[in-house]
Amino acid sequence: MFPFSLLKIIGKMVVDKSPKLDYCNKVILAPMVRVGTLPTRLLALEMGADIVYSEELIDLKLVKCKRIINELLNTVDYIDPTDGTIAFRTCDLEKPFVVLQMGTSDATRALAVGQLVQNDISGLDINMGCPKEFSIKGGMGAALMAQPDKATHILKTLVDNLKIPVTCKIRILPNLQDTVELVKKLASTGISALAIHARTRDERPQHNPHPDFIREIVKHVSIPIIANGGSRDIQKYADILKFRLDCNASSVMVARAAQLNVSIFRKEGLLPMDEVIFRYLKLSVDYDNSPHNTKYGIQSILRDLQMTPRGKKFLQCQTMQQMCEIWDLGDYCRNKELEIFRRGKVGRRKVMPDQVIDNDVVEGETVTKKPKTENKTETSVIEENISFLRCNYSSDVRLFPKSVLYTYANKHNKLPACYETEGQNKLFRSMCKFDGKLYRSTFWQKNKRQAEQAAALVCLKHIGLVAEEELIKNGSILR
């Protein structure tokens, strides 16, 4: 499953026998929302990063998660039991180098999460610098910089009760001396390192960073300081080291430059864009990464090239299969998804409403509650795991499954199909009644309209208007 080039990471594991993560002299993948998922982190390590941070994960989400061993993927999954989605996925390969970043405003809740995840990560970081409105309103991120007593209480609680290193990430304050005093207070809690974005809460990437602030801060504390915020001037690996030198920091953390091309961590130089995308896609397939998340990652790499013919074709993709076809990974993706599907393990296509984790079942498996609205004529329902994928259809509504079925009914003097839809936990599934028979997809859709189209698609397949081969080819059905 693992790319051959990742074997060098295992070499790092053998050399580094330290029980604690060392934050000195490191080049680090920064925490980035929607970017820092498992495929990106593994690829960053393959490219040469020493430490990788997860995207920011909110304590309220993590604290209710169930820890599941996914034997098929060789991963540890933290699953939200309300909808079966993966909040955090990790694996042994990255364990010695991965830091989970958490958004929190409560010491007790933060500790509960820390104790839940500490056996699967090597460090826990508290986000105290995010300027986004969501974080600020929740008392998280940069809001904690305005409440130093609360911030230090959270950090001290974690340092005193966890067996892994605890760190935090902040931004500079407008005043240098105020920033120095804040850093000294945070460092006094016993944290192992402190990352500093060299911009204020109100400054954005177009503003110049302030490495002079970090140079001064370094003089006043003994813990490693990790410099962040230099991506605008980072075009190659040597630029990473230059920013670190400009800040006189112990280590350096890279965000946007790595988002655009994660091979920025290669001392040998950047890889071509298509090779980076190919490797990222393959890891996304290997670890059953969300298509939506994978697409976002590739969009970050393509940038302006999204407007090229190939880029526009990519933007129409909704499934992993469709994306992989563009980068010659179609057969690989198809075989991997079939393997997951046939072995009945937890995968994206098995997410259902009211999915729960039963402590009595074998690790890695799930059981699902029966919907309370089951029809009494259940045995007569024709079901197939067929999904309606909007990207498979043009803007001409006459070609949509429901329209095709309606036209067929008129032509053959039959009553139009009627639909009955059930919704649970923001997922929907419809029953299509046509010509005395009931049709339904076992695949739950994100809205009522798509659920009805999926049910119509099942009907069209069974009356011979859509070929199974076509549905397999376009990713609507797995066989």
Side-chain angles (χ1 to χ4, degrees):
M1 171 178 289
F2 306 125
F4 177 77
S5 53
L6 282 178
L7 291 177
K8 66 179 183 179
I9 299 174
I10 300 175
K12 289 184 184 181
M13 296 167 61
V14 175
V15 173
D16 184 11
K17 298 180 180 180
S18 172
K20 296 284 187 179
L21 189 61
D22 181 8
Y23 291 89
C24 293
N25 302 313
K26 298 296 189 292
V27 177
I28 302 168
L29 176 71
M32 291 179 283
V33 173
R34 298 178 67 188
V35 175
T37 50
L38 182 58
T40 300
R41 299 195 304 267
L42 287 176
L43 190 53
L45 288 171
E46 181 183 350
M47 296 297 175
D50 298 304
I51 298 173
V52 291
Y53 278 55
S54 76
E55 60 179 331
E56 180 191 21
L57 300 167
I58 307 302
D59 58 356
L60 285 167
K61 175 86 168 177
L62 286 171
V63 76
K64 63 183 180 182
C65 284
K66 300 293 184 180
R67 179 183 183 273
I68 299 296
I69 302 296
N70 191 323
E71 296 173 348
L72 175 61
L73 301 180
N74 292 316
T75 60
V76 176
D77 299 343
Y78 285 84
I79 299 179
D80 184 341
T82 61
D83 60 9
T85 57
I86 308 295
F88 177 59
R89 170 168 282 165
T90 185
C91 65
D92 286 343
L93 195 60
E94 72 164 356
K95 182 178 177 181
F97 320 107
V98 66
V99 175
L100 186 149
Q101 189 186 65
M102 177 166 57
T104 187
S105 61
D106 181 83
T108 301
R109 197 163 56 236
L111 179 59
V113 173
Q115 290 172 333
L116 174 67
V117 302
Q118 65 178 341
N119 291 324
D120 298 312
I121 58 177
S122 286
L124 181 66
D125 183 79
I126 302 303
N127 184 349
M128 297 187 176
C130 180
K132 301 293 186 182
E133 184 179 4
F134 168 79
S135 288
I136 301 298
K137 283 188 174 181
M140 303 178 292
L144 290 173
M145 294 174 60
Q147 303 177 71
D149 290 338
K150 184 176 185 179
T152 54
H153 174 59
I154 291 173
L155 293 176
K156 190 77 168 73
T157 299
L158 295 172
V159 169
D160 290 348
N161 293 282
L162 297 181
K163 61 184 181 182
I164 56 174
V166 176
T167 61
C168 69
K169 185 172 184 289
I170 67 169
R171 284 181 169 242
I172 62 172
L173 297 169
N175 180 275
L176 173 58
Q177 191 55 41
D178 290 342
T179 309
V180 170
E181 292 305 315
L182 174 63
V183 169
K184 287 166 65 175
K185 187 162 188 173
L186 296 175
S188 71
T189 63
I191 56 175
S192 299
L194 194 151
I196 304 176
H197 186 119
R199 292 184 181 86
T200 66
R201 167 177 163 174
D202 296 326
E203 289 178 326
R204 293 296 178 264
Q206 63 268 26
H207 297 108
N208 291 324
H210 304 277
D212 54 312
F213 272 53
I214 298 181
R215 284 198 301 270
E216 186 62 27
I217 290 167
V218 169
K219 300 175 184 178
H220 295 274
V221 291
S222 59
I223 64 171
I225 295 297
I226 305 167
N228 177 229
S231 281
R232 193 179 67 170
D233 299 316
I234 294 176
Q235 305 297 324
K236 56 185 180 299
Y237 183 82
D239 296 333
I240 299 176
L241 303 184
K242 182 180 182 300
F243 180 68
R244 172 185 164 186
L245 184 63
D246 289 345
C247 297
N248 195 29
S250 299
S251 296
V252 63
M253 178 179 279
V254 184
R256 284 184 302 112
Q259 180 179 359
L260 300 178
N261 190 330
V262 72
S263 69
I264 194 72
F265 293 112
R266 289 183 83 246
K267 296 178 182 179
E268 303 84 356
L270 292 172
L271 291 176
M273 178 195 71
D274 281 319
E275 184 172 348
V276 173
I277 292 175
F278 180 92
R279 295 191 187 193
Y280 172 70
L281 259 177
K282 188 171 183 297
L283 284 167
S284 295
V285 171
D286 287 343
Y287 290 97
D288 196 34
N289 197 48
S290 158
H292 179 74
N293 178 257
T294 301
K295 185 174 182 179
Y296 179 83
I298 296 175
Q299 285 181 278
S300 299
I301 301 172
L302 286 175
R303 290 178 285 173
D304 294 343
L305 293 177
Q306 293 177 72
M307 294 300 103
T308 63
R310 184 176 65 162
K312 290 178 179 179
K313 180 180 179 182
F314 163 75
L315 290 177
Q316 294 299 314
C317 296
Q318 288 191 16
T319 68
M320 196 73 76
Q321 182 69 44
Q322 292 166 337
M323 289 183 276
C324 284
E325 294 287 354
I326 298 176
W327 278 276
D328 298 323
L329 279 166
D331 289 342
Y332 183 84
C333 177
R334 189 177 296 107
N335 291 335
K336 184 64 67 172
E337 288 198 338
L338 280 171
E339 178 187 356
I340 294 172
F341 181 69
R342 286 169 177 166
R343 291 180 61 177
K345 296 291 184 178
V346 177
R348 288 178 285 99
R349 295 181 74 96
K350 289 180 72 66
V351 173
M352 297 174 65
D354 295 316
Q355 189 169 51
V356 297
I357 307 303
D358 189 333
N359 293 328
D360 295 327
V361 300
V362 179
E363 286 186 318
E365 303 287 353
T366 63
V367 293
T368 55
K369 297 176 182 177
K370 276 281 187 179
K372 296 178 181 179
T373 57
E374 293 292 342
N375 192 293
K376 291 182 180 180
T377 61
E378 189 69 24
T379 55
S380 65
V381 178
I382 297 171
E383 286 190 324
E384 288 236 25
N385 190 30
I386 297 177
S387 173
F388 170 76
L389 304 175
R390 175 64 182 83
C391 59
N392 287 332
Y393 301 88
S394 69
S395 57
D396 188 350
V397 295
R398 292 174 299 178
L399 300 178
F400 281 44
K402 285 181 65 178
S403 298
V404 173
L405 185 57
Y406 180 83
T407 301
Y408 174 86
N410 278 344
K411 184 177 180 180
H412 292 84
N413 296 317
K414 298 180 183 293
L415 291 175
C418 57
Y419 301 88
E420 181 179 331
T421 303
E422 59 177 319
Q424 298 182 51
N425 295 341
K426 299 181 180 179
L427 292 172
F428 298 86
R429 187 172 63 170
S430 289
M431 187 90 72
C432 170
K433 184 176 181 180
F434 180 71
D435 201 21
K437 295 183 179 179
L438 299 174
Y439 302 91
R440 182 171 66 187
S441 170
T442 59
F443 191 93
W444 292 75
Q445 302 279 168
K446 291 184 177 181
N447 59 55
K448 180 177 181 289
R449 286 178 297 177
Q450 291 189 3
E452 291 177 350
Q453 297 287 0
L457 201 52
V458 174
C459 179
L460 292 178
K461 175 183 177 296
H462 278 267
I463 64 178
L465 294 185
V466 177
E468 181 176 287
E469 292 75 15
E470 179 184 347
L471 296 174
I472 293 173
K473 184 178 180 181
N474 67 28
S476 296
I477 190 171
L478 284 177
R479 278 285 186 270

